[in-house]
Amino acid sequence: MRSQTLMPSPAAPPEAAAITGPRHVAIIMDGNGRWARSRGLPRVAGHRAGAEAVRRAITAARAAGVRWLTLYAFSSENWRRPATEISDLTGLLRHYLRHEVAELAKGGVRLVIIGDRARFGADLQAELATAEQRTAHNTDFTLVMALSYGARHEIVAAARIAAARVAAGTLAPDDITEEVFASLLATAGMPDPDLILRTSGEHRLSNFLLWQAAYAEFVFLDVLWPDFAETHFVAALAEYARRDRRFGARPE
Ligand code: IPE
Ligand code: IPE
Ligand code: MG
């Protein structure tokens, strides 16, 4: 029953959306803990409700003609949380993968994971790899899950690859262009996010997509993530449509 809302109708015709709408939306899904606390519930209840909101976000993004949706689900700094909360979160992730991947695969969603997955247990790493493989044939819509993700770690890892190639003599320092460097990041081949949303009223990036966000538009929503609904997504897109993206050029 629950999964009925996961798969939306096929992506909306791209005409209208492609002209004004963002191609890539990234969301910092924040506020699960406060949502639970305000109801006198344990934090895990907020994370569970947050997983339901993920389904609504996917539906809303597809309905709006968005082609790339990146969700920040677990940061490299979230490892600082108590072991019980981490195990609740990884348990939910495992549950999500087991129960949703078949439907993602059937429903035209490609799942891509970014982040330092080596920090997860071997079983979860295997589930992540399987989920990616089982959805790899889908090309219309990509759901990028940022898990154990930290932008500084990602950038340092890219710098190490470049340095190793220079040391090996296969890359000249002058050939490290922005394009080459971007191709060494976890997001290689993905368009930069056009729009970054953060829920829960916090106004910060928390180590999310620091390189890729160079020219993103930001919309901060007061709603707590478990209460996120399609209407919030639509409102954020309306706000995006009012923005004047200049990319440094002189205004008209
Ligand atoms: C977002 O909700 C989920 C994760 C960061 C894993 P939080 O757990 O950060 O909720 P708040 O910010 O404490 O309300
Ligand atoms: C950012 O939320 C990470 C995710 C949403 C996964 P946090 O709740 O961890 O961020 P801070 O600690 O408030 O900056
Ligand atoms: Mg938070």
Side-chain angles (χ1 to χ4, degrees):
M1 201 187 89
R2 199 191 45 189
S3 57
Q4 277 176 355
T5 52
L6 171 59
M7 277 305 104
S9 49
E15 305 87 53
I19 294 163
T20 51
R23 180 159 60 138
H24 183 177
V25 176
I27 308 182
I28 302 171
M29 309 183 290
D30 198 12
N32 295 352
R34 279 163 280 172
W35 183 92
R37 195 176 54 210
S38 72
R39 284 165 174 72
L41 297 170
R43 289 180 68 87
V44 66
H47 295 315
R48 238 179 252 131
E52 297 294 325
V54 166
R55 295 189 179 87
R56 297 194 289 276
I58 296 171
T59 304
R62 297 191 80 190
V66 169
R67 302 286 300 271
W68 296 78
L69 178 68
T70 296
L71 300 177
Y72 200 10
F74 193 88
S75 74
S76 47
E77 288 72 31
N78 288 149
W79 290 108
R80 296 175 184 155
R81 295 194 180 191
T84 47
E85 182 168 358
I86 290 171
S87 103
D88 286 341
L89 285 165
T90 51
L92 270 170
L93 177 60
R94 198 176 285 109
H95 184 270
Y96 182 88
L97 291 171
R98 288 203 183 132
H99 290 83
E100 309 294 349
V101 165
E103 203 158 342
L104 293 175
K106 254 195 306 176
V109 177
R110 175 169 64 135
L111 181 66
V112 173
I113 311 296
I114 58 170
D116 186 9
R117 66 177 84 191
R119 292 185 75 175
F120 293 115
D123 59 331
L124 191 48
Q125 287 184 53
E127 301 238 17
L128 292 171
T130 304
E132 288 180 312
Q133 282 154 17
R134 284 179 65 191
T135 60
H137 59 281
N138 292 322
T139 51
D140 284 354
F141 183 84
T142 303
L143 174 65
V144 182
M145 285 279 217
L147 297 170
S148 188
Y149 174 86
R152 287 184 169 183
H153 179 277
E154 178 191 36
I155 290 167
V156 167
R160 280 192 188 141
I161 296 170
R165 289 185 188 171
V166 169
T170 57
L171 181 66
D174 283 350
D175 290 339
I176 307 175
T177 59
E178 290 184 16
E179 288 72 27
V180 166
F181 196 80
S183 77
L184 303 177
L185 296 170
T187 51
M190 302 180 190
D192 284 343
D194 301 294
L195 170 63
I196 296 182
L197 307 183
R198 183 169 188 148
T199 57
S200 89
E202 306 295 350
H203 296 187
R204 56 179 170 265
L205 270 176
S206 301
N207 204 11
F208 187 48
L209 299 180
L210 298 182
W211 169 282
Q212 299 85 347
Y215 268 102
E217 295 293 329
F218 291 85
V219 172
F220 298 102
L221 302 167
D222 284 334
V223 65
L224 299 173
W225 178 249
D227 288 327
F228 185 83
E230 265 194 82
T231 50
H232 297 108
F233 196 85
V234 170
L237 291 199
E239 169 64 30
Y240 174 86
R242 287 192 289 273
R243 302 277 173 90
D244 178 19
R245 299 185 80 191
R246 296 185 188 145
F247 300 98
R250 212 169 65 177
E252 295 292 301

